Amino acid sequence: INECDEAQHDCEQTCLNIDGSFSCRCDSGFALNADGKTCSDVDECDLSLHDCHQRCLNTYGGFSCGCDDGLSLIEDGKSCSDIDECATNGGQGLCDPLNGHCLNTP
């Protein structure tokens, strides 16, 4: 008998049929609770289970990366690059266009 196919289980996420019984499993980003049936979100950021170069934001079942002020996330979704604030406003950035000189710093 396959308890998973027969819906004779109360697994929150995934049921794994084993000989004469079944066991519960959790999707990636979740951990099986002590009751052996329910799953809880894993905080990849607190557990250092991420590859973000600067900031990590835990999400339900996963995480996302972010960057410090003045930097933006690049295509790989984990690395940051400098934003050239001087490139805006005709090369003046946020500086006064008459009396200011914009100098971008990393």
Side-chain angles (χ1 to χ4, degrees):
I1 187 169
N2 184 338
E3 293 84 0
C4 297
D5 283 345
E6 302 295 323
Q8 297 177 3
H9 67 86
D10 50 0
C11 297
E12 181 179 25
Q13 290 186 357
T14 303
C15 179
L16 178 65
N17 188 54
I18 55 177
D19 192 30
S21 188
F22 68 95
S23 67
C24 299
R25 298 286 188 263
C26 299
D27 299 335
S28 177
F30 296 89
L32 192 64
N33 292 323
D35 65 8
K37 301 172 185 175
T38 59
C39 302
S40 293
D41 178 57
V42 171
D43 189 335
E44 294 86 355
C45 299
D46 280 348
L47 297 173
S48 296
L49 299 174
H50 64 87
D51 54 359
C52 300
H53 288 196
Q54 287 192 348
R55 294 185 182 183
C56 180
L57 173 65
N58 187 57
T59 60
Y60 189 69
F63 66 93
S64 63
C65 300
C67 301
D68 294 337
D69 291 341
L71 301 169
S72 65
L73 201 60
I74 63 172
E75 295 82 26
D76 68 6
K78 60 184 178 181
S79 305
C80 301
S81 73
D82 180 53
I83 297 171
D84 184 357
E85 294 86 358
C86 295
T88 62
N89 194 25
Q92 290 298 311
L94 301 175
C95 298
D96 179 339
L98 298 176
N99 301 313
H101 175 72
C102 188
L103 178 63
N104 185 56
T105 57

